[in-house]
Coordinates of all heavy atoms in Angstrom, one line a residue:
R12 N 0.8 -1.2 0.0 CA 0.0 0.0 0.0 C 0.9 1.2 0.0 O 1.9 1.2 0.6 CB -0.9 0.0 1.2 CG -1.8 1.2 1.4 CD -2.7 1.1 2.6 NE -3.8 0.3 2.3 CZ -4.8 0.0 3.2 NH1 -4.6 0.4 4.5 NH2 -5.8 -0.8 2.9
T13 N 0.4 2.3 -0.7 CA 1.2 3.5 -0.7 C 0.4 4.6 0.1 O -0.8 4.6 0.1 CB 1.4 4.1 -2.2 OG1 0.2 4.1 -2.8 CG2 2.3 3.2 -2.9
L14 N 1.2 5.4 0.8 CA 0.6 6.4 1.7 C 1.1 7.8 1.3 O 2.2 8.0 0.7 CB 1.1 6.1 3.2 CG 0.8 4.7 3.7 CD1 1.4 4.5 5.1 CD2 -0.7 4.5 3.8
V15 N 0.3 8.8 1.7 CA 0.7 10.2 1.4 C 2.0 10.5 2.2 O 3.0 11.0 1.6 CB -0.4 11.1 1.8 CG1 0.0 12.6 1.6 CG2 -1.7 10.9 0.9
E16 N 2.0 10.2 3.4 CA 3.3 10.3 4.2 C 3.8 8.9 4.4 O 3.4 8.2 5.3 CB 2.9 11.0 5.5 CG 2.4 12.4 5.5 CD 3.4 13.3 4.9 OE1 4.6 13.1 5.1 OE2 3.0 14.3 4.3
D17 N 4.6 8.4 3.5 CA 5.0 7.0 3.4 C 6.2 6.7 4.2 O 7.3 6.7 3.6 CB 5.1 6.6 1.9 CG 4.8 5.1 1.7 OD1 5.1 4.4 2.6 OD2 4.3 4.8 0.6
A18 N 6.1 6.5 5.4 CA 7.2 6.2 6.3 C 7.9 4.9 5.9 O 9.1 4.8 5.9 CB 6.8 6.1 7.8
P19 N 7.2 3.8 5.6 CA 7.9 2.5 5.2 C 8.8 2.8 4.0 O 9.9 2.3 3.9 CB 6.8 1.6 4.8 CG 5.6 2.1 5.7 CD 5.7 3.5 5.7
A20 N 8.3 3.4 2.9 CA 9.0 3.7 1.7 C 10.3 4.5 2.1 O 11.4 4.3 1.6 CB 8.2 4.4 0.7
A21 N 10.1 5.6 2.9 CA 11.2 6.4 3.3 C 12.3 5.6 4.1 O 13.5 5.8 3.8 CB 10.7 7.5 4.2
Y22 N 11.9 4.7 4.9 CA 12.8 3.9 5.7 C 13.6 3.0 4.7 O 14.9 2.8 4.9 CB 12.1 3.0 6.7 CG 12.9 2.0 7.4 CD1 13.7 2.4 8.5 CD2 13.0 0.6 6.9 CE1 14.5 1.4 9.1 CE2 13.8 -0.3 7.6 CZ 14.5 0.1 8.7 OH 15.4 -0.8 9.3
L23 N 13.0 2.3 3.8 CA 13.6 1.5 2.8 C 14.6 2.2 1.9 O 15.7 1.7 1.6 CB 12.6 0.7 2.0 CG 11.7 -0.3 2.7 CD1 10.6 -0.8 1.8 CD2 12.6 -1.4 3.3
K24 N 14.2 3.4 1.5 CA 15.1 4.3 0.7 C 16.4 4.6 1.5 O 17.5 4.6 1.0 CB 14.4 5.5 0.2 CG 13.4 5.2 -0.9 CD 12.6 6.4 -1.3 CE 13.5 7.5 -1.9 NZ 12.7 8.7 -2.3
Q25 N 16.1 5.0 2.8 CA 17.2 5.4 3.6 C 18.2 4.3 3.8 O 19.5 4.5 3.9 CB 16.7 5.8 5.0 CG 17.7 6.3 6.0 CD 17.1 6.6 7.4 OE1 15.9 6.6 7.5 NE2 18.0 6.9 8.3
H26 N 17.7 3.0 3.9 CA 18.6 1.9 4.2 C 19.0 1.2 2.9 O 19.5 0.1 2.9 CB 18.0 1.0 5.2 CG 17.9 1.5 6.6 ND1 16.9 2.4 6.9 CD2 18.7 1.4 7.7 CE1 17.1 2.7 8.2 NE2 18.2 2.1 8.7
H27 N 18.7 1.8 1.7 CA 19.1 1.2 0.4 C 18.6 -0.2 0.2 O 19.4 -1.0 -0.3 CB 20.6 1.3 0.2 CG 21.2 2.7 0.5 ND1 20.9 3.8 -0.3 CD2 21.9 3.2 1.6 CE1 21.5 4.8 0.2 NE2 22.1 4.5 1.3
V28 N 17.4 -0.5 0.6 CA 16.8 -1.8 0.5 C 16.0 -1.8 -0.9 O 15.1 -1.0 -1.0 CB 15.9 -2.2 1.6 CG1 15.2 -3.5 1.4 CG2 16.7 -2.1 2.9
P29 N 16.3 -2.7 -1.8 CA 15.4 -2.8 -3.0 C 13.9 -3.1 -2.7 O 13.6 -4.0 -1.9 CB 16.0 -4.0 -3.8 CG 17.4 -4.2 -3.1 CD 17.3 -3.8 -1.7
F30 N 13.1 -2.3 -3.3 CA 11.6 -2.6 -3.0 C 10.8 -2.1 -4.1 O 11.2 -1.2 -5.0 CB 11.2 -1.9 -1.7 CG 11.0 -0.5 -1.7 CD1 9.8 0.2 -1.9 CD2 12.1 0.4 -1.5 CE1 9.6 1.6 -1.9 CE2 12.0 1.8 -1.6 CZ 10.7 2.4 -1.8
V31 N 9.6 -2.6 -4.2 CA 8.6 -2.2 -5.2 C 7.3 -2.0 -4.4 O 6.9 -2.7 -3.5 CB 8.4 -3.3 -6.3 CG1 7.2 -3.0 -7.2 CG2 9.6 -3.5 -7.1
A32 N 6.5 -0.9 -4.8 CA 5.3 -0.6 -4.1 C 4.1 -1.0 -5.0 O 4.1 -0.8 -6.2 CB 5.2 0.9 -3.8
I33 N 3.1 -1.6 -4.4 CA 1.8 -1.8 -5.0 C 1.0 -0.5 -4.8 O 0.6 -0.2 -3.6 CB 1.1 -3.0 -4.5 CG1 1.8 -4.3 -4.8 CG2 -0.4 -3.1 -5.0 CD1 1.2 -5.5 -4.2
G34 N 0.7 0.2 -5.9 CA 0.0 1.5 -5.7 C 0.8 2.6 -6.4 O 1.9 2.3 -7.1
T35 N 0.3 3.8 -6.4 CA 1.0 4.9 -7.1 C 1.5 5.9 -6.1 O 1.0 5.9 -4.9 CB 0.1 5.6 -8.1 OG1 -1.1 6.0 -7.4 CG2 -0.3 4.7 -9.3
T36 N 2.5 6.6 -6.4 CA 3.1 7.6 -5.6 C 3.8 8.7 -6.4 O 4.3 8.3 -7.6 CB 4.1 7.0 -4.6 OG1 4.9 8.1 -3.9 CG2 5.1 6.1 -5.3
P37 N 3.7 9.9 -6.0 CA 4.5 11.0 -6.8 C 5.9 10.9 -6.8 O 6.7 11.5 -7.5 CB 4.0 12.3 -6.1 CG 3.6 11.9 -4.8 CD 3.0 10.5 -4.9
D38 N 6.5 10.0 -5.9 CA 7.9 9.8 -5.7 C 8.5 9.0 -6.9 O 8.3 7.8 -7.0 CB 8.2 9.1 -4.4 CG 9.8 9.1 -4.1 OD1 10.5 9.3 -5.0 OD2 10.1 8.8 -2.9
D39 N 9.1 9.6 -7.8 CA 9.6 9.0 -9.0 C 10.8 8.0 -8.7 O 11.2 7.2 -9.6 CB 10.1 10.0 -10.0 CG 9.0 10.8 -10.6 OD1 7.8 10.2 -10.6 OD2 9.2 11.9 -11.1

């Protein structure tokens, strides 16, 4: 799930963990 304030995505980006999101987000 994608959130407007997406803490899980931010955490994974910070720790350089490969991930894919189900949903859309303005974060390219």
Side-chain angles (χ1 to χ4, degrees):
R12 175 178 281 176
T13 52
L14 306 171
V15 175
E16 299 294 332
D17 209 327
Y22 173 82
L23 293 173
K24 288 175 63 177
Q25 179 185 355
H26 290 81
H27 308 290
V28 179
F30 73 99
V31 174
I33 295 177
T35 56
T36 169
D38 188 346
D39 292 333

